[in-house]
Amino acid sequence: TTETALAMPAGATETVALDINNDGLVAGQAYVGGEWVACVWFPKEGPKLMRDLVTLPNGTKLIAAKIVTPLGIVVCTGTFTDGNGTVPIAYGLMPNY
């Protein structure tokens, strides 16, 4: 195995890699602006915050990209807040890379 230092996304002060697939797509999280944000490191483009990649309903925060499947599907955890409170969520997407 080979260890590689991952680039930090803009504005991040800390990052954590949580999973990687065979194509080199890495799932994790970055600490940006005082909160943890789901982050994906693309093999050629580098790090991207999930909030910059997808349009989410108001009140939705993706905190960590936990799993990246062999097909490139990224599973994130986060929260959804509406007038009735905040609940945990799981969110899956297939980024184009």
Side-chain angles (χ1 to χ4, degrees):
T1 61
T2 302
E3 291 183 24
T4 302
L6 297 171
M8 297 271 261
T13 57
E14 210 174 325
T15 58
V16 178
L18 298 170
D19 197 16
I20 186 170
N21 72 3
N22 289 337
D23 293 330
L25 183 64
V26 176
Q29 61 189 142
Y31 196 70
V32 181
E35 66 182 0
W36 285 102
V37 180
C39 184
V40 177
W41 286 263
F42 292 91
K44 292 185 172 80
E45 294 88 27
K48 304 284 184 194
L49 300 177
M50 293 299 294
R51 66 183 183 200
D52 298 334
L53 295 175
V54 297
T55 302
L56 298 167
N58 287 339
T60 303
K61 289 184 180 182
L62 298 178
I63 297 166
K66 296 276 192 167
I67 300 167
V68 58
T69 71
L71 296 176
I73 298 169
V74 179
V75 179
C76 299
T77 59
T79 58
F80 175 74
T81 303
D82 64 10
N84 299 315
T86 301
V87 296
I89 62 166
Y91 182 86
L93 76 141
M94 182 171 223
N96 296 322
Y97 69 98

Coordinates of all heavy atoms in Angstrom, one line a residue:
T1 N 0.8 -1.2 0.0 CA 0.0 0.0 0.0 C 0.9 1.2 0.0 O 2.0 1.2 0.5 CB -0.9 0.0 1.2 OG1 -0.1 0.1 2.4 CG2 -1.9 -1.2 1.2
T2 N 0.3 2.3 -0.5 CA 1.0 3.6 -0.6 C 0.2 4.6 0.2 O -1.0 4.8 -0.1 CB 1.2 4.0 -2.0 OG1 1.9 3.0 -2.7 CG2 1.9 5.3 -2.1
E3 N 0.8 5.4 1.0 CA 0.2 6.5 1.7 C 0.3 7.8 0.9 O 1.4 8.0 0.4 CB 0.8 6.7 3.1 CG 0.4 5.6 4.0 CD 1.0 5.8 5.4 OE1 1.2 7.0 5.8 OE2 1.2 4.8 6.1
T4 N -0.7 8.5 0.8 CA -0.7 9.8 0.1 C -1.4 10.9 0.9 O -2.5 10.6 1.4 CB -1.5 9.7 -1.3 OG1 -0.9 8.6 -2.0 CG2 -1.5 10.9 -2.0
A5 N -0.8 12.0 1.0 CA -1.4 13.1 1.7 C -2.5 13.7 0.8 O -2.2 14.0 -0.4 CB -0.4 14.2 2.1
L6 N -3.7 13.9 1.3 CA -4.8 14.5 0.5 C -4.7 16.0 0.7 O -4.5 16.5 1.8 CB -6.1 13.9 1.0 CG -6.3 12.4 0.8 CD1 -7.6 12.0 1.5 CD2 -6.4 12.1 -0.6
A7 N -5.1 16.7 -0.4 CA -5.1 18.1 -0.4 C -6.3 18.6 0.5 O -7.3 17.9 0.6 CB -5.3 18.7 -1.8
M8 N -6.2 19.7 1.1 CA -7.2 20.3 1.9 C -8.2 21.1 1.0 O -7.7 21.8 0.2 CB -6.7 21.2 3.0 CG -5.8 20.5 4.0 SD -6.7 19.9 5.4 CE -6.4 21.1 6.6
P9 N -9.5 21.0 1.2 CA -10.4 21.8 0.5 C -10.2 23.3 1.0 O -9.8 23.5 2.1 CB -11.8 21.3 0.9 CG -11.6 20.2 1.8 CD -10.2 20.0 2.1
A10 N -10.6 24.2 0.1 CA -10.5 25.6 0.5 C -11.2 25.9 1.8 O -12.3 25.5 2.0 CB -11.1 26.5 -0.7
G11 N -10.5 26.6 2.7 CA -11.1 27.0 3.9 C -11.1 26.0 5.0 O -11.5 26.2 6.2
A12 N -10.6 24.7 4.7 CA -10.6 23.7 5.7 C -9.4 23.8 6.6 O -8.3 24.2 6.2 CB -10.6 22.3 5.1
T13 N -9.6 23.5 7.9 CA -8.5 23.5 8.9 C -8.1 22.1 9.3 O -7.1 21.8 9.9 CB -8.8 24.3 10.1 OG1 -10.0 23.8 10.7 CG2 -9.0 25.8 9.7
E14 N -9.0 21.1 9.0 CA -8.8 19.7 9.4 C -9.6 18.8 8.4 O -10.6 19.2 7.9 CB -9.4 19.5 10.8 CG -8.7 18.5 11.6 CD -9.3 18.5 13.0 OE1 -9.6 19.6 13.6 OE2 -9.4 17.4 13.6
T15 N -9.1 17.6 8.1 CA -9.8 16.7 7.3 C -9.7 15.3 7.8 O -8.7 15.0 8.5 CB -9.4 16.7 5.8 OG1 -8.0 16.4 5.8 CG2 -9.6 18.0 5.1
V16 N -10.6 14.4 7.5 CA -10.6 13.0 7.9 C -11.0 12.2 6.7 O -12.1 12.4 6.1 CB -11.5 12.7 9.1 CG1 -11.5 11.2 9.4 CG2 -11.1 13.5 10.3
A17 N -10.2 11.2 6.2 CA -10.6 10.3 5.2 C -11.3 9.1 5.8 O -10.7 8.5 6.8 CB -9.4 9.9 4.3
L18 N -12.4 8.7 5.3 CA -13.1 7.6 5.9 C -13.3 6.3 5.1 O -13.5 5.2 5.6 CB -14.5 8.0 6.4 CG -14.6 9.2 7.4 CD1 -16.0 9.7 7.6 CD2 -14.0 8.7 8.7
D19 N -13.2 6.5 3.7 CA -13.3 5.3 2.8 C -12.7 5.7 1.5 O -12.5 6.9 1.2 CB -14.8 4.9 2.7 CG -14.9 3.5 2.1 OD1 -14.0 2.7 2.1 OD2 -16.1 3.2 1.7
I20 N -12.3 4.7 0.7 CA -11.8 4.8 -0.6 C -12.2 3.7 -1.5 O -12.3 2.5 -1.0 CB -10.2 5.0 -0.6 CG1 -9.7 5.3 -2.0 CG2 -9.6 3.7 0.0 CD1 -8.2 5.7 -2.0
N21 N -12.5 3.9 -2.7 CA -12.8 2.8 -3.6 C -11.5 2.5 -4.5 O -10.5 3.2 -4.4 CB -14.0 3.0 -4.4 CG -13.9 4.0 -5.5 OD1 -12.9 4.6 -5.8 ND2 -15.0 4.3 -6.2
N22 N -11.6 1.5 -5.3 CA -10.5 1.0 -6.2 C -10.1 2.1 -7.2 O -9.0 2.0 -7.8 CB -10.8 -0.3 -6.8 CG -10.7 -1.4 -5.8 OD1 -10.1 -1.3 -4.8 ND2 -11.4 -2.5 -6.1
D23 N -11.0 3.0 -7.6 CA -10.7 4.0 -8.5 C -10.0 5.2 -7.9 O -9.7 6.2 -8.6 CB -12.0 4.5 -9.2 CG -12.6 3.4 -10.1 OD1 -11.8 2.5 -10.6 OD2 -13.8 3.3 -10.3
G24 N -9.9 5.2 -6.6 CA -9.2 6.3 -5.9 C -10.1 7.4 -5.4 O -9.7 8.5 -5.0
L25 N -11.5 7.2 -5.5 CA -12.4 8.2 -5.0 C -12.5 8.0 -3.5 O -12.7 6.9 -2.9 CB -13.8 7.9 -5.6 CG -14.9 8.9 -5.2 CD1 -14.6 10.3 -5.7 CD2 -16.2 8.4 -5.8
V26 N -12.2 9.1 -2.7 CA -12.1 9.1 -1.3 C -13.3 9.8 -0.6 O -13.6 10.9 -1.1 CB -10.8 9.7 -0.8 CG1 -10.7 9.8 0.7 CG2 -9.6 9.0 -1.4
A27 N -13.9 9.2 0.4 CA -15.0 9.8 1.1 C -14.5 10.2 2.5 O -13.6 9.6 3.1 CB -16.1 8.9 1.3
G28 N -15.0 11.4 3.0 CA -14.6 11.8 4.3 C -15.3 13.1 4.8 O -16.4 13.3 4.4
Q29 N -14.6 13.9 5.5 CA -15.2 15.1 6.0 C -14.1 16.1 6.2 O -12.9 15.8 6.4 CB -16.0 14.9 7.3 CG -15.2 14.3 8.5 CD -16.1 13.9 9.6 OE1 -15.8 12.9 10.2 NE2 -17.1 14.7 9.9
A30 N -14.5 17.4 6.2 CA -13.6 18.5 6.4 C -14.2 19.5 7.4 O -15.4 19.7 7.4 CB -13.3 19.2 5.0
Y31 N -13.3 20.1 8.2 CA -13.7 21.1 9.2 C -13.6 22.5 8.6 O -12.5 22.9 8.3 CB -12.9 21.0 10.5 CG -13.5 21.6 11.7 CD1 -14.7 21.1 12.2 CD2 -12.9 22.8 12.2 CE1 -15.2 21.8 13.3 CE2 -13.5 23.4 13.3 CZ -14.6 22.9 13.8 OH -15.2 23.5 14.9
V32 N -14.7 23.1 8.2 CA -14.7 24.4 7.5 C -15.7 25.3 8.2 O -16.8 25.0 8.5 CB -15.2 24.2 6.1 CG1 -15.2 25.5 5.3 CG2 -14.4 23.1 5.3
G33 N -15.2 26.5 8.6 CA -16.1 27.5 9.2 C -16.7 27.1 10.5 O -17.8 27.4 10.8
G34 N -16.0 26.3 11.3 CA -16.5 25.9 12.6 C -17.4 24.7 12.6 O -18.0 24.4 13.6
E35 N -17.6 24.0 11.4 CA -18.4 22.8 11.4 C -17.8 21.7 10.5 O -17.1 22.0 9.5 CB -19.8 23.1 11.0 CG -20.0 23.6 9.6 CD -21.4 24.0 9.2 OE1 -22.3 23.9 10.0 OE2 -21.6 24.4 8.0
W36 N -18.2 20.5 10.7 CA -17.8 19.4 9.9 C -18.7 19.3 8.7 O -19.9 19.4 8.8 CB -17.8 18.0 10.6 CG -16.7 17.9 11.6 CD1 -16.8 18.1 12.9 CD2 -15.3 17.6 11.3 NE1 -15.5 17.9 13.5 CE2 -14.6 17.6 12.5 CE3 -14.7 17.3 10.1 CZ2 -13.3 17.4 12.6 CZ3 -13.3 17.1 10.2 CH2 -12.6 17.1 11.4
V37 N -18.1 19.1 7.5 CA -18.8 19.1 6.2 C -18.4 17.8 5.4 O -17.2 17.5 5.4 CB -18.5 20.4 5.4 CG1 -19.3 20.4 4.1 CG2 -18.9 21.6 6.2
A38 N -19.3 17.1 4.8 CA -19.0 16.0 4.0 C -18.1 16.4 2.8 O -18.3 17.5 2.2 CB -20.2 15.3 3.5
C39 N -17.1 15.6 2.5 CA -16.1 16.0 1.5 C -15.7 14.7 0.7 O -15.8 13.6 1.2 CB -14.8 16.5 2.2 SG -13.6 17.1 1.1
V40 N -15.5 14.9 -0.6 CA -15.0 13.8 -1.5 C -13.8 14.3 -2.2 O -13.7 15.4 -2.6 CB -16.1 13.5 -2.5 CG1 -15.7 12.4 -3.5 CG2 -17.4 13.1 -1.8
W41 N -12.8 13.4 -2.2 CA -11.6 13.7 -3.0 C -11.6 12.9 -4.3 O -11.7 11.7 -4.3 CB -10.3 13.3 -2.2 CG -10.0 14.2 -1.1 CD1 -9.1 15.2 -1.1 CD2 -10.6 14.1 0.3 NE1 -9.0 15.8 0.2 CE2 -9.9 15.1 1.0 CE3 -11.5 13.3 0.9 CZ2 -10.2 15.4 2.3 CZ3 -11.8 13.6 2.2 CH2 -11.2 14.6 2.9
F42 N -11.7 13.6 -5.4 CA -11.7 13.0 -6.7 C -10.3 12.7 -7.2 O -9.4 13.5 -6.9 CB -12.4 13.9 -7.7 CG -13.8 14.1 -7.5 CD1 -14.3 15.1 -6.7 CD2 -14.8 13.2 -8.0 CE1 -15.7 15.3 -6.4 CE2 -16.1 13.3 -7.8 CZ -16.6 14.4 -7.0
P43 N -10.0 11.6 -7.8 CA -8.7 11.2 -8.2 C -7.9 12.2 -9.0 O -6.8 12.4 -8.8 CB -8.9 9.9 -9.1 CG -10.2 9.4 -8.7 CD -11.0 10.6 -8.3
K44 N -8.6 13.0 -9.9 CA -7.9 14.0 -10.7 C -8.2 15.4 -10.3 O -7.3 16.3 -10.4 CB -8.4 13.8 -12.2 CG -7.8 12.5 -12.8 CD -8.2 12.4 -14.3 CE -7.6 11.2 -14.9 NZ -8.2 10.0 -14.8
E45 N -9.4 15.7 -9.8 CA -9.8 17.1 -9.5 C -9.4 17.5 -8.0 O -9.5 18.7 -7.7 CB -11.3 17.3 -9.7 CG -11.7 17.2 -11.2 CD -12.0 15.8 -11.6 OE1 -12.4 15.0 -10.7 OE2 -11.8 15.5 -12.7
G46 N -9.2 16.5 -7.2 CA -8.9 16.9 -5.8 C -10.2 17.0 -4.9 O -11.2 16.4 -5.3
P47 N -10.1 17.7 -3.8 CA -11.2 17.7 -2.8 C -12.4 18.6 -3.3 O -12.2 19.7 -3.8 CB -10.6 18.2 -1.6 CG -9.5 19.1 -2.0 CD -9.0 18.5 -3.3
K48 N -13.6 18.2 -3.0 CA -14.8 19.0 -3.2 C -15.7 18.8 -2.0 O -15.9 17.6 -1.5 CB -15.6 18.5 -4.5 CG -14.7 18.6 -5.7 CD -14.5 19.9 -6.2 CE -13.8 19.9 -7.6 NZ -13.3 21.1 -8.0
L49 N -16.3 19.8 -1.5 CA -17.3 19.7 -0.4 C -18.6 19.3 -1.1 O -19.0 19.8 -2.1 CB -17.4 21.1 0.3 CG -16.2 21.6 1.0 CD1 -16.5 23.0 1.6 CD2 -15.7 20.6 2.0
M50 N -19.3 18.4 -0.4 CA -20.5 17.9 -1.0 C -21.6 19.0 -1.1 O -22.3 19.0 -2.1 CB -21.1 16.8 -0.1 CG -20.3 15.5 0.0 SD -20.1 14.7 -1.7 CE -21.8 14.2 -2.0
R51 N -21.6 20.0 -0.3 CA -22.5 21.1 -0.4 C -22.3 21.9 -1.6 O -23.2 22.6 -2.1 CB -22.5 22.0 0.9 CG -21.2 22.7 1.0 CD -21.2 23.5 2.3 NE -20.0 24.3 2.5 CZ -19.6 24.7 3.6 NH1 -20.3 24.5 4.7 NH2 -18.5 25.5 3.7
D52 N -21.1 21.8 -2.2 CA -20.9 22.5 -3.5 C -21.2 21.6 -4.7 O -21.2 22.1 -5.8 CB -19.4 22.9 -3.6 CG -19.0 23.9 -2.5 OD1 -19.9 24.6 -2.0 OD2 -17.8 24.0 -2.1
L53 N -21.4 20.3 -4.5 CA -21.6 19.4 -5.6 C -23.1 19.1 -5.8 O -23.5 18.7 -6.9 CB -20.9 18.1 -5.3 CG -19.4 18.1 -5.3 CD1 -18.9 16.7 -4.9 CD2 -18.9 18.5 -6.7
V54 N -23.9 19.2 -4.8 CA -25.4 18.9 -4.9 C -26.2 20.0 -4.4 O -25.8 20.7 -3.5 CB -25.7 17.6 -4.2 CG1 -24.9 16.4 -4.8 CG2 -25.4 17.6 -2.7
T55 N -27.4 20.1 -4.9 CA -28.4 21.0 -4.3 C -29.3 20.2 -3.3 O -29.9 19.2 -3.7 CB -29.3 21.6 -5.5 OG1 -28.5 22.2 -6.4 CG2 -30.3 22.6 -4.9
L56 N -29.3 20.7 -2.1 CA -30.0 20.0 -1.1 C -31.2 20.8 -0.6 O -31.2 22.1 -0.7 CB -29.1 19.8 0.1 CG -27.9 18.9 -0.1 CD1 -26.9 19.0 1.0 CD2 -28.3 17.4 -0.3
P57 N -32.2 20.2 -0.1 CA -33.4 20.9 0.5 C -32.9 21.8 1.6 O -31.9 21.5 2.3 CB -34.3 19.9 1.0 CG -33.9 18.6 0.4 CD -32.4 18.7 0.1
N58 N -33.6 23.0 1.8 CA -33.2 23.9 3.0 C -33.3 23.1 4.3 O -34.1 22.2 4.4 CB -34.2 25.0 3.0 CG -34.0 26.0 1.9 OD1 -32.9 26.1 1.4 ND2 -35.0 26.8 1.6
G59 N -32.3 23.4 5.1 CA -32.3 22.7 6.4 C -31.5 21.4 6.4 O -31.3 20.7 7.4
T60 N -30.9 21.0 5.3 CA -30.1 19.8 5.2 C -28.7 20.1 5.2 O -28.2 20.9 4.5 CB -30.5 19.0 3.9 OG1 -31.8 18.8 3.8 CG2 -29.7 17.7 3.8
K61 N -28.0 19.4 6.1 CA -26.5 19.5 6.2 C -25.9 18.1 6.1 O -26.3 17.1 6.8 CB -26.1 20.0 7.6 CG -26.4 21.5 7.7 CD -25.8 22.0 9.1 CE -26.1 23.4 9.3 NZ -25.5 23.9 10.5
L62 N -24.9 17.9 5.2 CA -24.2 16.6 5.1 C -22.9 16.8 5.9 O -22.1 17.6 5.6 CB -23.9 16.3 3.6 CG -25.2 16.1 2.8 CD1 -24.8 15.8 1.3 CD2 -26.0 15.0 3.3
I63 N -22.8 16.0 6.9 CA -21.7 16.1 7.9 C -20.5 15.3 7.5 O -19.3 15.7 7.7 CB -22.2 15.8 9.3 CG1 -23.2 16.8 9.7 CG2 -21.0 15.8 10.3 CD1 -24.0 16.4 10.9
A64 N -20.7 14.1 7.0 CA -19.6 13.2 6.6 C -20.0 12.3 5.4 O -21.1 11.8 5.4 CB -19.2 12.3 7.8
A65 N -19.1 12.1 4.5 CA -19.2 11.1 3.5 C -18.5 9.9 4.0 O -17.4 9.8 4.3 CB -18.5 11.6 2.2
K66 N -19.4 8.9 4.3 CA -18.9 7.7 5.1 C -18.4 6.6 4.2 O -17.5 5.9 4.6 CB -20.0 7.2 6.0 CG -20.4 8.2 7.0 CD -19.6 8.1 8.2 CE -20.1 8.8 9.4 NZ -19.5 8.5 10.6
I67 N -19.1 6.3 3.1 CA -18.8 5.1 2.3 C -18.8 5.6 0.8 O -19.6 6.3 0.4 CB -19.9 4.1 2.5 CG1 -20.0 3.6 3.9 CG2 -19.7 2.9 1.6 CD1 -21.2 2.8 4.3
V68 N -17.8 5.0 0.1 CA -17.8 5.1 -1.4 C -17.8 3.7 -1.9 O -16.9 2.9 -1.6 CB -16.7 6.0 -1.9 CG1 -15.3 5.5 -1.5 CG2 -16.8 6.2 -3.4
T69 N -18.8 3.4 -2.7 CA -18.9 2.0 -3.2 C -18.0 1.8 -4.5 O -17.5 2.8 -5.0 CB -20.4 1.7 -3.6 OG1 -20.7 2.4 -4.8 CG2 -21.4 2.0 -2.5
P70 N -17.9 0.5 -4.9 CA -17.1 0.3 -6.1 C -17.6 1.0 -7.3 O -16.9 1.3 -8.3 CB -17.2 -1.2 -6.3 CG -17.3 -1.7 -4.9 CD -18.2 -0.7 -4.2
L71 N -18.9 1.3 -7.3 CA -19.6 2.0 -8.5 C -19.4 3.5 -8.3 O -19.9 4.2 -9.2 CB -21.0 1.6 -8.6 CG -21.3 0.1 -8.9 CD1 -22.8 -0.1 -8.9 CD2 -20.7 -0.2 -10.2
G72 N -18.9 4.0 -7.3 CA -18.7 5.4 -7.1 C -19.9 6.1 -6.4 O -20.0 7.3 -6.3
I73 N -20.8 5.3 -5.8 CA -21.9 5.9 -5.1 C -21.4 6.3 -3.7 O -20.7 5.6 -3.0 CB -23.1 4.9 -4.9 CG1 -23.6 4.6 -6.3 CG2 -24.2 5.5 -4.0 CD1 -24.6 3.4 -6.3
V74 N -21.6 7.6 -3.3 CA -21.1 8.1 -2.1 C -22.3 8.2 -1.1 O -23.3 8.8 -1.4 CB -20.5 9.5 -2.2 CG1 -20.0 10.1 -0.9 CG2 -19.4 9.5 -3.2
V75 N -22.1 7.6 0.1 CA -23.2 7.6 1.1 C -22.7 8.6 2.2 O -21.7 8.4 2.8 CB -23.4 6.2 1.7 CG1 -24.5 6.2 2.8 CG2 -23.8 5.2 0.6
C76 N -23.6 9.6 2.5 CA -23.3 10.6 3.5 C -24.2 10.5 4.6 O -25.4 10.0 4.5 CB -23.4 12.0 2.8 SG -22.3 12.3 1.4
T77 N -23.8 11.0 5.8 CA -24.7 11.2 6.9 C -24.8 12.6 7.2 O -23.9 13.4 6.9 CB -24.1 10.4 8.2 OG1 -22.8 10.9 8.5 CG2 -24.1 8.9 7.9
G78 N -25.9 13.0 7.8 CA -26.1 14.4 8.1 C -27.3 14.6 8.9 O -27.8 13.7 9.6
T79 N -27.9 15.8 8.8 CA -29.1 16.2 9.5 C -30.1 16.9 8.6 O -29.6 17.6 7.7 CB -28.8 17.0 10.8 OG1 -28.1 18.2 10.4 CG2 -28.0 16.3 11.8
F80 N -31.3 16.9 9.0 CA -32.4 17.7 8.3 C -33.1 18.4 9.4 O -33.6 17.7 10.4 CB -33.3 16.8 7.5 CG -34.4 17.6 6.9 CD1 -34.2 18.5 5.8 CD2 -35.7 17.5 7.4 CE1 -35.3 19.2 5.3 CE2 -36.8 18.2 6.9 CZ -36.5 19.1 5.9
T81 N -33.3 19.7 9.3 CA -34.0 20.5 10.3 C -35.2 21.1 9.6 O -35.0 21.8 8.6 CB -33.1 21.6 10.9 OG1 -31.9 20.9 11.5 CG2 -33.8 22.4 12.0
D82 N -36.3 21.0 10.3 CA -37.5 21.7 9.8 C -38.2 22.3 11.0 O -37.6 22.3 12.1 CB -38.5 20.8 9.0 CG -39.1 19.7 9.8 OD1 -38.9 19.7 11.1 OD2 -39.7 18.8 9.2
G83 N -39.4 22.8 10.9 CA -40.1 23.4 12.0 C -40.4 22.5 13.2 O -40.7 22.9 14.3
N84 N -40.2 21.1 13.0 CA -40.5 20.2 14.0 C -39.3 19.6 14.7 O -39.4 18.8 15.6 CB -41.3 19.0 13.4 CG -42.6 19.4 12.9 OD1 -43.3 20.2 13.5 ND2 -42.9 18.9 11.7
G85 N -38.1 20.1 14.3 CA -36.9 19.6 15.0 C -35.8 19.2 14.0 O -36.0 19.4 12.8
T86 N -34.8 18.5 14.5 CA -33.7 18.0 13.6 C -33.6 16.5 13.7 O -33.7 15.9 14.8 CB -32.4 18.6 14.1 OG1 -32.5 20.0 14.0 CG2 -31.2 18.1 13.2
V87 N -33.5 15.8 12.6 CA -33.4 14.4 12.5 C -32.2 14.0 11.7 O -31.7 14.7 10.8 CB -34.7 13.7 11.9 CG1 -35.9 14.0 12.7 CG2 -34.9 14.2 10.5
P88 N -31.6 12.8 12.1 CA -30.4 12.3 11.3 C -30.9 11.8 10.0 O -32.0 11.3 9.8 CB -29.8 11.2 12.2 CG -30.9 10.8 13.1 CD -31.8 12.0 13.2
I89 N -30.1 11.9 8.9 CA -30.4 11.4 7.6 C -29.2 10.7 7.0 O -28.1 10.9 7.4 CB -30.8 12.5 6.6 CG1 -29.6 13.5 6.4 CG2 -32.1 13.2 7.1 CD1 -29.8 14.5 5.3
A90 N -29.5 9.8 6.0 CA -28.5 9.2 5.2 C -28.8 9.7 3.8 O -30.0 9.8 3.4 CB -28.5 7.7 5.3
Y91 N -27.8 10.0 3.0 CA -28.0 10.6 1.6 C -27.0 9.9 0.7 O -25.8 9.8 1.0 CB -27.8 12.1 1.7 CG -28.0 12.8 0.4 CD1 -29.3 13.2 0.0 CD2 -26.9 13.0 -0.5 CE1 -29.5 13.9 -1.2 CE2 -27.2 13.7 -1.7 CZ -28.4 14.1 -2.0 OH -28.7 14.8 -3.2
G92 N -27.5 9.4 -0.4 CA -26.6 8.7 -1.3 C -26.6 9.4 -2.7 O -27.6 9.9 -3.1
L93 N -25.5 9.6 -3.3 CA -25.4 10.2 -4.7 C -24.3 9.5 -5.5 O -23.4 8.9 -4.9 CB -25.2 11.7 -4.6 CG -23.8 12.1 -4.3 CD1 -23.5 13.3 -5.1 CD2 -23.7 12.5 -2.8
M94 N -24.4 9.7 -6.7 CA -23.4 9.1 -7.7 C -22.8 10.3 -8.4 O -23.4 10.9 -9.3 CB -24.0 8.2 -8.7 CG -23.0 7.6 -9.6 SD -23.8 6.2 -10.5 CE -22.5 5.0 -10.5
P95 N -21.6 10.8 -7.9 CA -21.0 11.9 -8.6 C -20.4 11.5 -10.0 O -20.1 10.3 -10.2 CB -19.9 12.3 -7.7 CG -19.6 11.1 -6.9 CD -20.9 10.3 -6.8
N96 N -20.4 12.4 -10.9 CA -19.8 12.2 -12.2 C -18.3 12.5 -12.1 O -18.0 13.7 -11.9 CB -20.5 13.0 -13.3 CG -21.9 12.6 -13.4 OD1 -22.2 11.4 -13.3 ND2 -22.8 13.6 -13.6
Y97 N -17.4 11.6 -12.3 CA -16.0 11.9 -12.3 C -15.3 11.0 -13.3 O -15.8 10.1 -13.9 CB -15.4 11.7 -10.9 CG -15.3 10.3 -10.4 CD1 -14.1 9.6 -10.5 CD2 -16.4 9.7 -9.8 CE1 -14.1 8.3 -10.0 CE2 -16.4 8.4 -9.4 CZ -15.2 7.7 -9.5 OH -15.1 6.4 -9.0

